[in-house]
């Protein structure tokens, strides 16, 4: 299965961000694709997505100034707790567990989004295109559409 070209706009088909348009940044060694919303436009952070959950479109955003050379698959994996930490964690009663992102990933998110937003703003109506959701109406056939 083919990957995507950097800067290509894709539509997410499943998961928390389904229907959102995202910008592909890089094909990772694991076979997943690194994408971003950018977060300021549609709320999609830097994420790894499988190609099977994306519809690639013909629309391309210039991402030549975006530096994602330091991004690796290991940055997105959760840290495993030791047995001692797990027992301590289970003993505590916390109301709700929140997923937190590491400081490095947050800094990377800001730097990537500023570069992507600059190129998005240079194209007329690209910001509104990325911030709108993809939906189907009655009698629309996605298998006959050209993206």
């Amino acid at each position: 299965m083919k990957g995507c070209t950097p800067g290509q706009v894709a539509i997410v088909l499943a998961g928390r961000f389904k229907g959102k348009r995202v910008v592909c940044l890089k094909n990772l060694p694991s076979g997943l694709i690194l994408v971003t919303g950018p977060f300021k436009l549609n709320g999609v952070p830097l994420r790894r997505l499988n190609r099977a959950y994306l519809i690639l479109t013909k629309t391309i955003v210039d991402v030549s100034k975006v530096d994602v050379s330091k991004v690796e698959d290991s940055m997105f994996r959760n840290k495993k707790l030791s047995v001692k930490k797990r027992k301590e964690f289970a003993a505590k009663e916390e109301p709700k567990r929140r997923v937190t992102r590491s400081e490095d990933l947050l800094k990377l998110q800001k730097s990537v989004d500023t570069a992507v937003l600059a190129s998005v703003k240079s194209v007329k109506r690209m910001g509104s295109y990325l911030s709108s959701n993809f939906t189907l109406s009655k009698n629309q056939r996605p298998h006959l559409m050209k993206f």
Side-chain angles (χ1 to χ4, degrees):
M1 190 180 294
K2 280 182 161 181
C4 70
T5 58
Q8 194 169 10
V9 175
I11 301 167
V12 181
L13 295 175
R16 179 176 168 199
F17 300 107
K18 70 180 170 191
K20 301 279 187 177
R21 291 182 173 97
V22 294
V23 178
C24 298
L25 297 174
K26 179 181 178 180
N27 292 318
L28 296 170
S30 64
L32 300 175
I33 298 173
L34 180 70
V35 299
T36 187
F39 187 78
K40 192 170 189 175
L41 286 179
N42 58 12
V44 180
L46 278 175
R47 291 186 63 94
R48 299 177 303 162
L49 292 174
N50 193 330
R51 168 67 178 86
Y53 298 112
L54 295 174
I55 295 176
L56 298 175
T57 65
K58 294 179 186 175
T59 310
I60 294 181
V61 175
D62 180 33
V63 291
S64 58
K65 297 177 183 172
V66 179
D67 181 30
V68 289
S69 58
K70 297 178 184 177
V71 179
E72 299 173 357
D73 286 313
S74 60
M75 294 175 75
F76 294 94
R77 295 196 179 104
N78 292 334
K79 296 177 183 173
K80 292 188 176 181
L81 296 174
S82 65
V83 176
K84 184 178 179 182
K85 292 274 187 185
R86 271 189 260 158
K87 287 180 181 177
E88 290 175 11
F89 182 76
K92 293 180 184 177
E93 291 184 22
E94 294 188 23
K96 195 171 185 183
R97 186 174 171 205
R98 288 186 63 201
V99 177
T100 57
R101 297 174 71 96
S102 68
E103 292 295 323
D104 296 335
L105 203 55
L106 289 175
K107 288 179 186 175
L108 183 66
Q109 174 77 47
K110 286 182 183 179
S111 66
V112 167
D113 277 357
T114 54
V116 172
L117 276 173
S119 62
V120 165
K121 288 181 181 178
S122 66
V123 179
K124 189 176 183 180
R125 297 190 187 113
M126 183 61 75
S128 62
Y129 174 71
L130 288 174
S131 62
S132 65
N133 286 347
F134 174 78
T135 57
L136 291 174
S137 301
K138 190 175 182 180
N139 294 328
Q140 285 185 325
R141 295 176 176 84
H143 61 282
L144 296 177
M145 291 181 178
K146 292 186 180 180
F147 295 96

